[in-house]
Amino acid sequence: MKSALFRGLLVSMAIHTWFVPTATARAYRLLSDDPALGTSGIVRWREPVIAYAVSRRGLPVLSESSYRAAVRRGFDVWSGATCNIAFAEIGLTEADAAPSDGVNTIQWIDGWSERGYAAEAIATTDVELREVDGQWSIVGFDIYFQRGPSWAPDGPIDDRLRVEYVAAHEAGHALGIAHPCEELDPIVPACRPSDTGLMYPAYALRTAELARDDREAVCALYGCETVGAACGTAACVEAPALGCPCS
């Protein structure tokens, strides 16, 4: 049995490089596309409900409920694309997020640069992977928000960082979806300014909605309704090893 840690960073800077066409026709990337894992199989959760907690440490005391609600809305964005996986909040925790502690934790933290995170990043997700008999699975995650910037848990879209949007992006990493493009990685397609999918690595002032690329990515992992249709409005496609609870 082997373990590994994947880290996805969301940056606030604009991306000015251009897309480089590749041999694949799909416009999304999964964690299983990382050659370092050495697997051709799908890397995903093996149970249909993913529980998580929000850490009180670093959370604005007077806005706890609104921040939790914003995180929940961001996570729920993914439920519209698939019937076979869901997030469930189990409440607040007094503990810090920590790798391999058995709790999937969302936390606002100080000391961003001291922890080794890129200065331009506003949030990061650590995804814990485990390999058994050649099959990698996701077994845990922690999401860190940088506490320094001005965050907006609700209200109109303005220059503040939208908790809901960033939570939705990081939840995509927790599900097993990687950035479809990168700015400096020579083996990953470069990004173009017109790219607007939720999983693109640059923050954007818009609502948290799945683009077609995002829907196709989560469908590839967990099975889904017809791409573009809400759960319960079309014939459900069974996802391997998970079944179809909404059929």
Side-chain angles (χ1 to χ4, degrees):
M1 183 174 72
K2 295 187 293 184
S3 296
L5 193 67
F6 167 86
R7 175 164 293 162
L9 293 169
L10 180 65
V11 301
S12 57
M13 61 188 292
I15 290 184
H16 299 291
T17 51
W18 291 93
F19 180 75
V20 178
T22 62
T24 178
R26 59 181 169 92
Y28 62 84
R29 291 177 62 247
L30 307 176
L31 300 193
S32 52
D33 293 327
D34 187 340
L37 288 180
T39 180
S40 58
I42 289 178
V43 179
R44 64 175 178 227
W45 291 87
R46 301 296 160 177
E47 59 265 10
V49 179
I50 307 169
Y52 71 92
V54 178
S55 176
R56 271 203 172 102
R57 294 176 180 265
L59 198 64
V61 176
L62 298 179
S63 304
E64 279 185 358
S65 60
S66 58
Y67 273 68
R68 290 171 63 189
V71 170
R72 194 178 306 119
R73 290 194 304 271
F75 281 24
D76 286 347
V77 162
W78 295 97
S79 65
T82 179
C83 300
N84 299 304
I85 201 76
F87 291 97
E89 190 205 279
I90 57 175
L92 291 166
T93 177
E94 303 293 339
D96 288 319
S100 304
D101 64 354
V103 181
N104 305 314
T105 304
I106 291 83
Q107 184 175 5
W108 271 259
I109 60 172
D110 293 310
W112 193 256
S113 298
E114 290 80 359
R115 292 171 180 258
Y117 299 137
E120 68 272 18
I122 55 176
T124 182
T125 299
D126 288 345
V127 182
E128 185 181 358
L129 310 177
R130 186 167 298 156
E131 183 265 345
V132 179
D133 297 328
Q135 177 62 62
W136 287 93
S137 298
I138 302 174
V139 296
F141 72 88
D142 293 308
I143 295 175
Y144 301 94
F145 290 76
Q146 186 179 175
R147 194 161 179 251
S150 178
W151 292 93
D154 48 33
I157 294 178
D158 54 27
D159 290 340
R160 295 176 298 168
L161 298 173
R162 302 285 296 180
V163 174
E164 180 179 339
Y165 180 90
V166 178
H169 175 96
E170 300 304 328
H173 289 318
L175 289 172
I177 305 171
H179 295 150
C181 60
E182 297 286 359
E183 193 170 13
L184 299 175
D185 192 329
I187 66 171
V188 177
C191 299
R192 55 187 178 185
S194 59
D195 291 330
T196 58
L198 183 62
M199 291 311 297
Y200 284 83
Y203 177 78
L205 289 173
R206 57 178 179 264
T207 56
E209 297 177 350
L210 300 184
R212 184 179 182 88
D213 297 347
D214 305 316
R215 289 181 178 275
E216 290 180 347
V218 74
C219 287
L221 290 171
Y222 301 103
C224 64
E225 300 283 332
T226 302
V227 172
C231 189
T233 62
C236 202
V237 179
E238 183 172 350
L242 287 175
C244 188
C246 69
S247 61

